[in-house]
């Protein structure tokens, strides 16, 4: 009788400890993802940067895209406004990408095409398509909403966390799940590998260089590779600035046709 009681007590204790451990793991994972999202997309109250993409196809042919990014947060981990102004080459010069990022709903995205004087709305279903011919997608540039995925911690060591993310709506993406390696010091995602249903890596993002700018660890060189043919795009950032005082009124449709030149220098 006593043995039965002890066994039952041990089972209850183990079950209780398991519940505590599971709850702790959930809170820990949520905290990691929030810190990573904050570090990746919300450094400072606002920011600007000049960027260059080098697009290399499977045959080694290269294309270049040069642009300036302006970004302003409504609140940390909250809604956000973004403008991307293309300056080179001539076939994309004057093209503007505008994003109103929303936490509780689908982001609003527009693309201004100067040759047609046309503002084209990018539907939610198109966010996983090429960003002006690059291997980066529209969603890679503005950031994926963490609420769209279920996260779990695969492992961790002294330097990083390895997370698994599974989309809540599998029909909305081209992959089955992805792994992220998050640096423990900066909380920046240093690598993201996207897997298909056969558990093969189909696409991979890797951070190649990070700099501390105005106290914020900042990705200044990243690469996105299509594993099926080895084609890739490298993105480099320079003249990165934070807390520059961008006014709210520049994040409007008017700026698509009349860029705020004072903030693009």
């Amino acid at each position: 009788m006593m043995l039965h009681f002890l066994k039952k007590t041990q089972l209850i204790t183990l079950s209780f400890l398991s519940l505590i451990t599971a709850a702790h793991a959930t809170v820990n994972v949520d905290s990691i993802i929030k810190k990573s999202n904050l570090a990746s997309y919300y450094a400072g109250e606002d920011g600007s940067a000049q960027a260059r993409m080098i697009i290399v196809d499977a045959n080694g042919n290269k294309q270049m895209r040069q642009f300036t990014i302006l970004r302003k947060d409504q609140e940390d981990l909250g809604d956000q406004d973004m403008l991307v102004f293309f300056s080179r080459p001539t076939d994309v010069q004057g093209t503007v990408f505008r994003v109103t990022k929303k936490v509780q709903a689908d982001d609003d995205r527009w693309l201004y095409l100067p040759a047609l004087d046309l503002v084209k709305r990018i539907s939610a279903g198109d966010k996983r398509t090429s960003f002006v011919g690059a291997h980066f997608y529209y969603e890679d540039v503005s950031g994926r909403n963490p609420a769209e995925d279920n996260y779990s911690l695969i492992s961790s060591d002294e330097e990083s966390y390895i997370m698994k993310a599974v989309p809540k709506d599998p029909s909305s993406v081209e992959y089955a799940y992805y792994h992220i390696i998050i640096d423990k010091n900066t909380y920046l995602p240093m690598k993201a590998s996207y897997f298909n249903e056969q558990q093969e890596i189909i696409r991979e993002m890797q951070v190649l260089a990070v700099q501390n700018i105005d106290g914020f660890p900042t990705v200044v060189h990243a690469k996105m590779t299509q594993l099926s043919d080895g084609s890739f795009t490298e993105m480099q950032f320079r003249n990165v600035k934070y807390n520059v005082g961008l006014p709210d009124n520049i994040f409007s449709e008017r700026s698509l046709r009349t860029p705020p030149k004072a903030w693009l220098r």
Side-chain angles (χ1 to χ4, degrees):
M1 183 73 177
M2 180 61 71
L3 182 61
H4 176 72
F5 174 78
L6 288 173
K7 285 184 177 179
K8 188 173 182 179
T9 303
Q10 288 172 341
L11 286 171
I12 292 171
T13 302
L14 287 171
S15 297
F16 180 68
L17 289 173
S18 296
L19 287 172
I20 292 175
T21 303
H24 174 72
T26 301
V27 170
N28 188 41
V29 167
D30 289 344
S31 175
I32 293 167
I33 294 304
K34 284 181 179 178
K35 289 178 180 179
S36 180
N37 193 32
L38 189 66
S40 300
Y41 296 103
Y42 292 89
E45 299 300 317
D46 61 25
S48 65
Q50 294 176 347
R52 181 177 67 170
M53 291 192 304
I54 304 298
I55 305 165
V56 182
D57 68 17
N59 297 317
N61 301 310
K62 295 182 179 180
Q63 296 183 60
M64 185 267 293
R65 303 277 187 269
Q66 192 165 305
F67 51 92
T68 300
I69 301 175
L70 303 180
R71 181 263 306 169
K72 184 167 186 177
D73 307 335
Q74 299 306 315
E75 61 177 316
D76 281 349
L77 298 177
D79 292 354
Q80 190 178 62
D81 291 298
M82 180 183 293
L83 287 166
V84 179
F85 299 90
F86 287 84
S87 55
R88 294 182 184 176
T90 55
D91 62 335
V92 297
Q93 187 175 20
T95 300
V96 185
F97 176 50
R98 178 188 171 203
V99 183
T100 299
K101 189 172 178 177
K102 299 177 181 178
V103 174
Q104 301 298 330
D106 288 333
D107 297 348
D108 290 326
R109 295 177 175 89
W110 299 268
L111 192 66
Y112 173 63
L113 304 172
L116 303 174
D117 191 27
L118 173 68
V119 176
K120 177 185 176 183
R121 188 179 181 90
I122 300 169
S123 70
D126 289 336
K127 64 187 179 182
R128 301 292 304 171
T129 58
S130 172
F131 178 62
V132 292
H135 295 80
F136 290 90
Y137 294 160
Y138 285 100
E139 191 174 60
D140 296 323
V141 176
S142 55
R144 181 169 173 82
N145 191 332
E148 295 189 68
D149 300 316
N150 290 315
Y151 295 90
S152 58
L153 180 64
I154 297 175
S155 65
S156 66
D157 55 31
E158 293 182 359
E159 297 181 350
S160 59
Y161 300 103
I162 301 178
M163 315 289 291
K164 180 179 181 179
V166 180
K168 295 178 181 178
D169 179 9
S171 65
S172 67
V173 293
E174 77 290 349
Y175 56 86
Y177 62 91
Y178 62 99
H179 290 172
I180 327 166
I181 299 177
I182 298 174
D183 185 276
K184 279 190 173 182
N185 291 321
T186 65
Y187 282 93
L188 290 173
M190 301 302 291
K191 190 175 184 179
S193 302
Y194 297 82
F195 293 78
N196 60 17
E197 293 286 354
Q198 290 72 44
Q199 300 186 14
E200 301 166 331
I201 301 176
I202 56 175
R203 189 168 173 264
E204 194 164 72
M205 185 284 298
Q206 185 173 6
V207 170
L208 302 178
V210 173
Q211 291 181 6
N212 192 299
I213 300 174
D214 298 334
F216 299 103
T218 303
V219 174
V220 294
H221 191 183
K223 181 180 181 180
M224 187 71 78
T225 304
Q226 186 69 35
L227 275 296
S228 60
D229 61 8
S231 59
F232 63 89
T233 296
E234 290 193 33
M235 191 181 301
Q236 301 170 333
F237 299 93
R238 64 183 181 86
N239 198 26
V240 180
K241 301 175 185 176
Y242 296 110
N243 297 319
V244 295
L246 296 172
D248 290 331
N249 61 9
I250 67 170
F251 296 95
S252 64
E253 185 171 341
R254 183 186 178 197
S255 290
L256 300 180
R257 292 182 170 87
T258 310
K261 294 180 180 180
W263 299 101
L264 299 178
R265 296 169 184 161

